[in-house]
Amino acid sequence: MVSSATHRKTKANHRTVYTILVILGICHMLNDTLQAVIPAMFPILEESLGLTFTQLGLITFTLNMVASVMQPVVGLYTDKRPMPFALPLGLASSMFGILGLAFAPNFWMILISVLFIGLGSAIFHPEGSRVAYLAAGPRRGTAQSIYQVGGNTGQALAPVITAFVLVPLGQFGVIWFTAVAGLAVIFLIYIARWYASMTPAVAKKEKPEQSEKVNKNVSRAIRHALVVLVFIIFARTWYAKAISNFYAFYAIENYGLSIAESQYYIFTFLLMGAIGTFLGGPLADRFGKKNVILFSLLAASPLALLLPHVGATGAIILLGLLGLIVMSSFSVTVVYAQELVPGNIGAMSGLTVGLAFGMGAIGSVALGSLIDFIGLTPTMVVISLLPLLGMVTFLLPSDKKVSEWHVDR
């Protein structure tokens, strides 16, 4: 019995468990496909229920705020008391939310359904990130990318869902995604069993590290780095949400496209964003996390400034490049935060990913209201400035410096 536990621990610590990572990435894709249904419904809901842009923003706000507020809480709790079977339970909550969306007759019932989906997401993400960390071995950036690319791929399916499911079937067509949730629950039961087998070894490994590092006051330099990282996530998330939630309306208004045709623009941005997410981790393992974060925003800045001023063909090309570059830092910021505070893997994952949800929530309401106030085209011009805020990445400590902090502490 002892040798078996030791063998599992050795496998987790010294080599990358790709089987677990791939299945986990698939589960992340299925989970985020359920979330992607919500913005995918926006054009349908605008027509069927006559919702305003502000109300659409409030729907996203409800989804993302529940997820963002709860994720760090879940992460902090499970850092002390791992809960492997919370993973399938979280997806079960999302399944009930999807079922509610299919039958929701008004704005308020949509919000209640979205609450269940947000709660499921809040449980899934920090625990999923912890499993990715356990299965990573020495390739933390690569492992986090495999996990996160599943989520970005699920989000990229939103315009496809709109074009091929919601446009022909309407709101009730959402009911088919309960099958997606059921499949994810089955996969996550398998993941939870592997996670549960790892829990005793993880507890033994982390306990001394936590007593030495986590129970001490976080240094001023680490707090400063976390503040800078939060600001970077803010800039990236607001820009990505502006494109994924509202660019379809811009394309319809400026290029004379149908709802279905406009979704190809969003699909291009999100699909290339998924590819960028996957590439970011291996690049960070090779060239450094800070360098990838810096590149993801500064290299995107001139393309973002150009986007509102090109035609239909140029726009879809720029959207692909922007998705690839901007989202290359998504998984990297998670790993960077985990290495800043290595004793709180779940909490740091909940903070960074949950923060992305929260910033997206606030951004959706603010941008929706701004569109109602000044119009669609001026808002798209304003948000093109956001990637320039990536200049603050120069304030982050280098990867080598972060490693030295934890050797010294």
Side-chain angles (χ1 to χ4, degrees), residues 261-282:
E261 289 170 338
S262 70
Q263 299 305 305
Y264 292 112
Y265 286 75
I266 310 305
F267 177 70
T268 298
F269 176 78
L270 295 176
L271 178 63
M272 295 303 290
I275 295 172
T277 297
F278 178 74
L279 294 176

Side-chain angles (χ1 to χ4, degrees), residues 27 62 126 157 181 191 386:
C27 291
T62 301
L157 292 174
I191 292 288
L386 286 172

